[in-house]
Amino acid sequence: EPHEHGAVGESCDVELPSGVPVPKVELIVTSGEDPGEVHASVKMENFVLGSAPEGTQLANGHWHLWLNGELKGMYEHPDATVVVSAPGEYQVMATLTDSDHCSYGVDTMTTVMVEEGGSGMGEDMDMPMEEEGGEGDEVELGRLEVQPR
């Protein structure tokens, strides 16, 4: 389901309730097989992607993927792929946020070298955030109706 991105640039922070463990995030970034692809994967502790199950005392929400300080996507699953148009070294950052896009103050950063730029769109922030699902689940982004002439 699409959501507004207007508040993303605004800064807001989430205060964890007393006794809730502080989330941790690890970011693994590799260049992909196709030109310009950057694969990012996050491993988290004390954090639930999506909505937390009833009674869970863990922080929950989604993560934001940044390349060279520019927001590239928002994800409720641990893996993401984006395509960059130019070769070079890219600074890649993951930040943990709540459903209102407010930061938990938990982020991690690394760099990746992209040997060749790509021309594909990849996933980016103009696409709706994907719903929770297992690996390999298909997500319908839209439908196209074709009429014969």
Side-chain angles (χ1 to χ4, degrees), residues 80-125:
T81 300
V82 294
V83 176
V84 296
S85 59
E89 185 174 77
Y90 286 83
Q91 185 180 62
V92 185
M93 182 170 73
T95 59
L96 300 184
T97 64
D98 70 2
S99 59
D100 293 325
H101 305 281
C102 294
S103 174
Y104 283 102
V106 177
D107 57 54
T108 184
M109 194 177 312
T110 189
T111 57
V112 65
M113 180 58 77
V114 177
E115 299 297 329
E116 183 181 350
S119 58
M121 268 183 48
E123 296 180 37
D124 77 29
M125 68 177 286

mmCIF file of all heavy atoms in Angstrom, residues 80-125:
data_model
loop_
_atom_site.group_PDB
_atom_site.id
_atom_site.type_symbol
_atom_site.label_atom_id
_atom_site.label_comp_id
_atom_site.label_asym_id
_atom_site.label_seq_id
_atom_site.Cartn_x
_atom_site.Cartn_y
_atom_site.Cartn_z
ATOM 1 N N ALA A 80 17.456 -5.852 -0.107
ATOM 2 C CA ALA A 80 17.064 -4.848 -1.089
ATOM 3 C C ALA A 80 18.131 -4.765 -2.175
ATOM 4 O O ALA A 80 19.308 -5.028 -1.918
ATOM 5 C CB ALA A 80 16.907 -3.488 -0.422
ATOM 6 N N THR A 81 17.706 -4.393 -3.376
ATOM 7 C CA THR A 81 18.625 -4.175 -4.490
ATOM 8 C C THR A 81 18.279 -2.842 -5.133
ATOM 9 O O THR A 81 17.108 -2.567 -5.390
ATOM 10 C CB THR A 81 18.500 -5.303 -5.536
ATOM 11 O OG1 THR A 81 18.814 -6.547 -4.918
ATOM 12 C CG2 THR A 81 19.450 -5.069 -6.702
ATOM 13 N N VAL A 82 19.294 -2.030 -5.359
ATOM 14 C CA VAL A 82 19.116 -0.780 -6.088
ATOM 15 C C VAL A 82 20.123 -0.766 -7.223
ATOM 16 O O VAL A 82 21.107 -1.499 -7.208
ATOM 17 C CB VAL A 82 19.298 0.462 -5.187
ATOM 18 C CG1 VAL A 82 18.205 0.537 -4.131
ATOM 19 C CG2 VAL A 82 20.664 0.486 -4.544
ATOM 20 N N VAL A 83 19.864 0.066 -8.225
ATOM 21 C CA VAL A 83 20.769 0.194 -9.368
ATOM 22 C C VAL A 83 21.289 1.626 -9.393
ATOM 23 O O VAL A 83 20.518 2.580 -9.315
ATOM 24 C CB VAL A 83 20.045 -0.146 -10.689
ATOM 25 C CG1 VAL A 83 20.965 0.079 -11.882
ATOM 26 C CG2 VAL A 83 19.550 -1.585 -10.668
ATOM 27 N N VAL A 84 22.624 1.757 -9.493
ATOM 28 C CA VAL A 84 23.252 3.069 -9.619
ATOM 29 C C VAL A 84 23.701 3.258 -11.062
ATOM 30 O O VAL A 84 24.066 2.300 -11.734
ATOM 31 C CB VAL A 84 24.433 3.238 -8.626
ATOM 32 C CG1 VAL A 84 23.926 3.181 -7.195
ATOM 33 C CG2 VAL A 84 25.505 2.184 -8.847
ATOM 34 N N SER A 85 23.663 4.499 -11.542
ATOM 35 C CA SER A 85 23.943 4.743 -12.954
ATOM 36 C C SER A 85 25.423 4.938 -13.263
ATOM 37 O O SER A 85 25.832 4.811 -14.416
ATOM 38 C CB SER A 85 23.157 5.965 -13.440
ATOM 39 O OG SER A 85 23.518 7.095 -12.676
ATOM 40 N N ALA A 86 26.240 5.238 -12.247
ATOM 41 C CA ALA A 86 27.655 5.516 -12.508
ATOM 42 C C ALA A 86 28.548 4.603 -11.668
ATOM 43 O O ALA A 86 28.213 4.267 -10.537
ATOM 44 C CB ALA A 86 27.967 6.970 -12.181
ATOM 45 N N PRO A 87 29.705 4.209 -12.224
ATOM 46 C CA PRO A 87 30.649 3.423 -11.427
ATOM 47 C C PRO A 87 31.270 4.297 -10.339
ATOM 48 O O PRO A 87 31.227 5.521 -10.416
ATOM 49 C CB PRO A 87 31.700 2.991 -12.451
ATOM 50 C CG PRO A 87 31.609 3.978 -13.550
ATOM 51 C CD PRO A 87 30.200 4.471 -13.571
ATOM 52 N N GLY A 88 31.822 3.654 -9.318
ATOM 53 C CA GLY A 88 32.500 4.389 -8.260
ATOM 54 C C GLY A 88 32.248 3.786 -6.900
ATOM 55 O O GLY A 88 31.592 2.753 -6.763
ATOM 56 N N GLU A 89 32.790 4.459 -5.872
ATOM 57 C CA GLU A 89 32.601 4.004 -4.492
ATOM 58 C C GLU A 89 31.365 4.693 -3.924
ATOM 59 O O GLU A 89 31.198 5.903 -4.068
ATOM 60 C CB GLU A 89 33.831 4.352 -3.653
ATOM 61 C CG GLU A 89 33.743 3.795 -2.243
ATOM 62 C CD GLU A 89 35.024 4.026 -1.466
ATOM 63 O OE1 GLU A 89 35.235 5.163 -1.017
ATOM 64 O OE2 GLU A 89 35.794 3.069 -1.326
ATOM 65 N N TYR A 90 30.496 3.911 -3.295
ATOM 66 C CA TYR A 90 29.254 4.426 -2.725
ATOM 67 C C TYR A 90 29.230 4.170 -1.228
ATOM 68 O O TYR A 90 29.576 3.088 -0.766
ATOM 69 C CB TYR A 90 28.034 3.749 -3.372
ATOM 70 C CG TYR A 90 27.786 4.234 -4.774
ATOM 71 C CD1 TYR A 90 28.484 3.687 -5.850
ATOM 72 C CD2 TYR A 90 26.873 5.255 -5.022
ATOM 73 C CE1 TYR A 90 28.270 4.147 -7.135
ATOM 74 C CE2 TYR A 90 26.655 5.714 -6.314
ATOM 75 C CZ TYR A 90 27.354 5.162 -7.364
ATOM 76 O OH TYR A 90 27.149 5.616 -8.643
ATOM 77 N N GLN A 91 28.801 5.178 -0.478
ATOM 78 C CA GLN A 91 28.594 5.035 0.955
ATOM 79 C C GLN A 91 27.159 4.544 1.144
ATOM 80 O O GLN A 91 26.210 5.162 0.648
ATOM 81 C CB GLN A 91 28.788 6.389 1.630
ATOM 82 C CG GLN A 91 28.712 6.325 3.131
ATOM 83 C CD GLN A 91 28.912 7.694 3.735
ATOM 84 O OE1 GLN A 91 28.125 8.605 3.478
ATOM 85 N NE2 GLN A 91 29.966 7.843 4.510
ATOM 86 N N VAL A 92 27.004 3.422 1.820
ATOM 87 C CA VAL A 92 25.694 2.791 1.993
ATOM 88 C C VAL A 92 25.358 2.788 3.484
ATOM 89 O O VAL A 92 26.174 2.391 4.302
ATOM 90 C CB VAL A 92 25.702 1.340 1.457
ATOM 91 C CG1 VAL A 92 24.310 0.726 1.530
ATOM 92 C CG2 VAL A 92 26.235 1.300 0.025
ATOM 93 N N MET A 93 24.138 3.246 3.815
ATOM 94 C CA MET A 93 23.738 3.309 5.212
ATOM 95 C C MET A 93 22.337 2.719 5.378
ATOM 96 O O MET A 93 21.477 2.888 4.509
ATOM 97 C CB MET A 93 23.735 4.760 5.707
ATOM 98 C CG MET A 93 23.372 4.884 7.184
ATOM 99 S SD MET A 93 23.643 6.540 7.875
ATOM 100 C CE MET A 93 22.311 7.448 7.128
ATOM 101 N N ALA A 94 22.131 2.023 6.486
ATOM 102 C CA ALA A 94 20.815 1.513 6.866
ATOM 103 C C ALA A 94 20.430 2.156 8.191
ATOM 104 O O ALA A 94 21.249 2.216 9.110
ATOM 105 C CB ALA A 94 20.838 -0.008 7.016
ATOM 106 N N THR A 95 19.192 2.653 8.279
ATOM 107 C CA THR A 95 18.686 3.231 9.520
ATOM 108 C C THR A 95 17.390 2.534 9.901
ATOM 109 O O THR A 95 16.576 2.219 9.026
ATOM 110 C CB THR A 95 18.431 4.747 9.380
ATOM 111 O OG1 THR A 95 17.474 4.962 8.334
ATOM 112 C CG2 THR A 95 19.714 5.500 9.054
ATOM 113 N N LEU A 96 17.195 2.282 11.180
ATOM 114 C CA LEU A 96 15.968 1.657 11.660
ATOM 115 C C LEU A 96 14.973 2.746 12.044
ATOM 116 O O LEU A 96 15.323 3.695 12.754
ATOM 117 C CB LEU A 96 16.251 0.760 12.867
ATOM 118 C CG LEU A 96 17.215 -0.399 12.638
ATOM 119 C CD1 LEU A 96 17.325 -1.257 13.904
ATOM 120 C CD2 LEU A 96 16.790 -1.253 11.460
ATOM 121 N N THR A 97 13.724 2.600 11.560
ATOM 122 C CA THR A 97 12.695 3.597 11.817
ATOM 123 C C THR A 97 11.383 2.917 12.222
ATOM 124 O O THR A 97 11.175 1.741 11.942
ATOM 125 C CB THR A 97 12.425 4.467 10.569
ATOM 126 O OG1 THR A 97 11.911 3.632 9.540
ATOM 127 C CG2 THR A 97 13.691 5.154 10.084
ATOM 128 N N ASP A 98 10.520 3.708 12.856
ATOM 129 C CA ASP A 98 9.199 3.179 13.187
ATOM 130 C C ASP A 98 8.257 3.391 12.003
ATOM 131 O O ASP A 98 8.674 3.882 10.946
ATOM 132 C CB ASP A 98 8.672 3.794 14.486
ATOM 133 C CG ASP A 98 8.304 5.269 14.370
ATOM 134 O OD1 ASP A 98 8.407 5.851 13.268
ATOM 135 O OD2 ASP A 98 7.914 5.846 15.398
ATOM 136 N N SER A 99 6.991 3.065 12.162
ATOM 137 C CA SER A 99 6.037 3.154 11.049
ATOM 138 C C SER A 99 5.774 4.599 10.624
ATOM 139 O O SER A 99 5.283 4.853 9.527
ATOM 140 C CB SER A 99 4.723 2.459 11.410
ATOM 141 O OG SER A 99 4.163 3.060 12.557
ATOM 142 N N ASP A 100 6.127 5.573 11.476
ATOM 143 C CA ASP A 100 5.983 6.987 11.129
ATOM 144 C C ASP A 100 7.274 7.565 10.559
ATOM 145 O O ASP A 100 7.401 8.775 10.411
ATOM 146 C CB ASP A 100 5.569 7.799 12.358
ATOM 147 C CG ASP A 100 4.167 7.442 12.832
ATOM 148 O OD1 ASP A 100 3.305 7.150 11.972
ATOM 149 O OD2 ASP A 100 3.933 7.438 14.053
ATOM 150 N N HIS A 101 8.255 6.702 10.284
ATOM 151 C CA HIS A 101 9.557 7.084 9.721
ATOM 152 C C HIS A 101 10.427 7.840 10.713
ATOM 153 O O HIS A 101 11.348 8.540 10.315
ATOM 154 C CB HIS A 101 9.402 7.885 8.418
ATOM 155 C CG HIS A 101 8.593 7.172 7.391
ATOM 156 N ND1 HIS A 101 9.126 6.170 6.611
ATOM 157 C CD2 HIS A 101 7.293 7.294 7.045
ATOM 158 C CE1 HIS A 101 8.164 5.710 5.809
ATOM 159 N NE2 HIS A 101 7.063 6.364 6.062
ATOM 160 N N CYS A 102 10.128 7.733 11.997
ATOM 161 C CA CYS A 102 10.964 8.357 13.020
ATOM 162 C C CYS A 102 12.098 7.399 13.366
ATOM 163 O O CYS A 102 11.895 6.194 13.470
ATOM 164 C CB CYS A 102 10.151 8.686 14.268
ATOM 165 S SG CYS A 102 8.909 9.966 13.962
ATOM 166 N N SER A 103 13.283 7.955 13.559
ATOM 167 C CA SER A 103 14.487 7.150 13.757
ATOM 168 C C SER A 103 14.607 6.626 15.185
ATOM 169 O O SER A 103 14.314 7.330 16.147
ATOM 170 C CB SER A 103 15.719 8.004 13.435
ATOM 171 O OG SER A 103 16.890 7.296 13.758
ATOM 172 N N TYR A 104 15.080 5.387 15.282
ATOM 173 C CA TYR A 104 15.433 4.821 16.586
ATOM 174 C C TYR A 104 16.851 5.236 16.981
ATOM 175 O O TYR A 104 17.333 4.869 18.037
ATOM 176 C CB TYR A 104 15.346 3.285 16.549
ATOM 177 C CG TYR A 104 13.931 2.759 16.611
ATOM 178 C CD1 TYR A 104 13.286 2.306 15.469
ATOM 179 C CD2 TYR A 104 13.241 2.713 17.816
ATOM 180 C CE1 TYR A 104 11.985 1.825 15.524
ATOM 181 C CE2 TYR A 104 11.944 2.236 17.882
ATOM 182 C CZ TYR A 104 11.322 1.791 16.741
ATOM 183 O OH TYR A 104 10.029 1.312 16.792
ATOM 184 N N GLY A 105 17.538 5.973 16.113
ATOM 185 C CA GLY A 105 18.914 6.375 16.390
ATOM 186 C C GLY A 105 19.881 5.219 16.215
ATOM 187 O O GLY A 105 20.992 5.232 16.730
ATOM 188 N N VAL A 106 19.448 4.191 15.472
ATOM 189 C CA VAL A 106 20.271 3.006 15.237
ATOM 190 C C VAL A 106 20.560 2.948 13.740
ATOM 191 O O VAL A 106 19.639 2.845 12.924
ATOM 192 C CB VAL A 106 19.541 1.721 15.686
ATOM 193 C CG1 VAL A 106 20.365 0.492 15.363
ATOM 194 C CG2 VAL A 106 19.215 1.790 17.175
ATOM 195 N N ASP A 107 21.836 3.050 13.385
ATOM 196 C CA ASP A 107 22.191 2.952 11.976
ATOM 197 C C ASP A 107 23.557 2.308 11.835
ATOM 198 O O ASP A 107 24.275 2.128 12.817
ATOM 199 C CB ASP A 107 22.152 4.324 11.292
ATOM 200 C CG ASP A 107 23.054 5.343 11.962
ATOM 201 O OD1 ASP A 107 24.256 5.068 12.136
ATOM 202 O OD2 ASP A 107 22.556 6.424 12.318
ATOM 203 N N THR A 108 23.874 1.947 10.619
ATOM 204 C CA THR A 108 25.173 1.356 10.316
ATOM 205 C C THR A 108 25.538 1.763 8.894
ATOM 206 O O THR A 108 24.654 1.999 8.071
ATOM 207 C CB THR A 108 25.143 -0.185 10.471
ATOM 208 O OG1 THR A 108 26.456 -0.699 10.242
ATOM 209 C CG2 THR A 108 24.180 -0.837 9.509
ATOM 210 N N MET A 109 26.834 1.854 8.643
ATOM 211 C CA MET A 109 27.282 2.348 7.352
ATOM 212 C C MET A 109 28.473 1.545 6.861
ATOM 213 O O MET A 109 29.276 1.065 7.651
ATOM 214 C CB MET A 109 27.690 3.814 7.513
ATOM 215 C CG MET A 109 27.867 4.555 6.243
ATOM 216 S SD MET A 109 28.275 6.308 6.512
ATOM 217 C CE MET A 109 27.078 6.810 7.714
ATOM 218 N N THR A 110 28.582 1.418 5.538
ATOM 219 C CA THR A 110 29.714 0.767 4.909
ATOM 220 C C THR A 110 29.875 1.358 3.507
ATOM 221 O O THR A 110 29.107 2.236 3.117
ATOM 222 C CB THR A 110 29.531 -0.771 4.861
ATOM 223 O OG1 THR A 110 30.745 -1.381 4.420
ATOM 224 C CG2 THR A 110 28.397 -1.180 3.937
ATOM 225 N N THR A 111 30.862 0.900 2.769
ATOM 226 C CA THR A 111 31.034 1.363 1.393
ATOM 227 C C THR A 111 31.073 0.162 0.463
ATOM 228 O O THR A 111 31.386 -0.962 0.881
ATOM 229 C CB THR A 111 32.341 2.172 1.214
ATOM 230 O OG1 THR A 111 33.435 1.364 1.613
ATOM 231 C CG2 THR A 111 32.310 3.448 2.025
ATOM 232 N N VAL A 112 30.750 0.408 -0.806
ATOM 233 C CA VAL A 112 30.806 -0.629 -1.825
ATOM 234 C C VAL A 112 31.365 0.008 -3.095
ATOM 235 O O VAL A 112 31.086 1.166 -3.393
ATOM 236 C CB VAL A 112 29.414 -1.271 -2.081
ATOM 237 C CG1 VAL A 112 28.433 -0.273 -2.651
ATOM 238 C CG2 VAL A 112 29.522 -2.495 -2.986
ATOM 239 N N MET A 113 32.178 -0.751 -3.819
ATOM 240 C CA MET A 113 32.729 -0.285 -5.085
ATOM 241 C C MET A 113 31.896 -0.886 -6.210
ATOM 242 O O MET A 113 31.727 -2.103 -6.291
ATOM 243 C CB MET A 113 34.190 -0.714 -5.231
ATOM 244 C CG MET A 113 34.824 -0.266 -6.532
ATOM 245 S SD MET A 113 34.811 1.516 -6.806
ATOM 246 C CE MET A 113 36.127 2.036 -5.724
ATOM 247 N N VAL A 114 31.363 -0.035 -7.067
ATOM 248 C CA VAL A 114 30.587 -0.466 -8.230
ATOM 249 C C VAL A 114 31.462 -0.240 -9.452
ATOM 250 O O VAL A 114 31.887 0.880 -9.722
ATOM 251 C CB VAL A 114 29.264 0.320 -8.333
ATOM 252 C CG1 VAL A 114 28.498 -0.094 -9.588
ATOM 253 C CG2 VAL A 114 28.416 0.109 -7.088
ATOM 254 N N GLU A 115 31.763 -1.324 -10.164
ATOM 255 C CA GLU A 115 32.693 -1.265 -11.293
ATOM 256 C C GLU A 115 32.080 -0.655 -12.551
ATOM 257 O O GLU A 115 32.762 -0.041 -13.346
ATOM 258 C CB GLU A 115 33.222 -2.672 -11.621
ATOM 259 C CG GLU A 115 33.984 -3.332 -10.483
ATOM 260 C CD GLU A 115 35.257 -2.580 -10.091
ATOM 261 O OE1 GLU A 115 35.873 -1.939 -10.966
ATOM 262 O OE2 GLU A 115 35.619 -2.618 -8.900
ATOM 263 N N GLU A 116 30.763 -0.866 -12.729
ATOM 264 C CA GLU A 116 30.109 -0.399 -13.955
ATOM 265 C C GLU A 116 28.710 0.085 -13.602
ATOM 266 O O GLU A 116 27.989 -0.573 -12.858
ATOM 267 C CB GLU A 116 30.026 -1.579 -14.937
ATOM 268 C CG GLU A 116 29.435 -1.242 -16.268
ATOM 269 C CD GLU A 116 29.361 -2.465 -17.192
ATOM 270 O OE1 GLU A 116 29.932 -3.521 -16.863
ATOM 271 O OE2 GLU A 116 28.713 -2.344 -18.239
ATOM 272 N N GLY A 117 28.325 1.254 -14.129
ATOM 273 C CA GLY A 117 26.991 1.785 -13.879
ATOM 274 C C GLY A 117 25.931 0.996 -14.622
ATOM 275 O O GLY A 117 26.217 0.316 -15.604
ATOM 276 N N GLY A 118 24.711 1.097 -14.152
ATOM 277 C CA GLY A 118 23.594 0.388 -14.776
ATOM 278 C C GLY A 118 22.579 1.362 -15.323
ATOM 279 O O GLY A 118 22.630 2.564 -15.073
ATOM 280 N N SER A 119 21.624 0.844 -16.066
ATOM 281 C CA SER A 119 20.598 1.701 -16.648
ATOM 282 C C SER A 119 19.208 1.336 -16.159
ATOM 283 O O SER A 119 18.257 2.025 -16.467
ATOM 284 C CB SER A 119 20.636 1.616 -18.177
ATOM 285 O OG SER A 119 20.453 0.275 -18.573
ATOM 286 N N GLY A 120 19.089 0.256 -15.370
ATOM 287 C CA GLY A 120 17.775 -0.154 -14.877
ATOM 288 C C GLY A 120 17.303 0.723 -13.745
ATOM 289 O O GLY A 120 18.064 1.480 -13.167
ATOM 290 N N MET A 121 16.013 0.646 -13.433
ATOM 291 C CA MET A 121 15.449 1.440 -12.343
ATOM 292 C C MET A 121 15.844 0.883 -10.993
ATOM 293 O O MET A 121 16.064 1.622 -10.061
ATOM 294 C CB MET A 121 13.926 1.436 -12.414
ATOM 295 C CG MET A 121 13.362 2.579 -13.185
ATOM 296 S SD MET A 121 11.563 2.537 -13.134
ATOM 297 C CE MET A 121 11.183 2.306 -11.410
ATOM 298 N N GLY A 122 15.857 -0.433 -10.859
ATOM 299 C CA GLY A 122 16.046 -1.020 -9.538
ATOM 300 C C GLY A 122 14.861 -0.653 -8.664
ATOM 301 O O GLY A 122 13.855 -0.151 -9.117
ATOM 302 N N GLU A 123 14.973 -0.914 -7.368
ATOM 303 C CA GLU A 123 13.933 -0.523 -6.428
ATOM 304 C C GLU A 123 14.304 0.859 -5.935
ATOM 305 O O GLU A 123 15.445 1.141 -5.661
ATOM 306 C CB GLU A 123 13.911 -1.475 -5.234
ATOM 307 C CG GLU A 123 13.548 -2.886 -5.595
ATOM 308 C CD GLU A 123 13.538 -3.775 -4.375
ATOM 309 O OE1 GLU A 123 13.120 -3.313 -3.308
ATOM 310 O OE2 GLU A 123 13.956 -4.913 -4.485
ATOM 311 N N ASP A 124 13.326 1.756 -5.822
ATOM 312 C CA ASP A 124 13.640 3.018 -5.202
ATOM 313 C C ASP A 124 12.445 3.544 -4.440
ATOM 314 O O ASP A 124 11.405 2.934 -4.418
ATOM 315 C CB ASP A 124 14.223 4.021 -6.197
ATOM 316 C CG ASP A 124 13.207 4.682 -7.113
ATOM 317 O OD1 ASP A 124 12.043 4.844 -6.723
ATOM 318 O OD2 ASP A 124 13.598 5.043 -8.210
ATOM 319 N N MET A 125 12.608 4.694 -3.816
ATOM 320 C CA MET A 125 11.598 5.161 -2.880
ATOM 321 C C MET A 125 10.279 5.553 -3.528
ATOM 322 O O MET A 125 9.321 5.810 -2.836
ATOM 323 C CB MET A 125 12.135 6.294 -2.028
ATOM 324 C CG MET A 125 12.393 7.577 -2.765
ATOM 325 S SD MET A 125 12.925 8.862 -1.656
ATOM 326 C CE MET A 125 11.394 9.263 -0.851
#
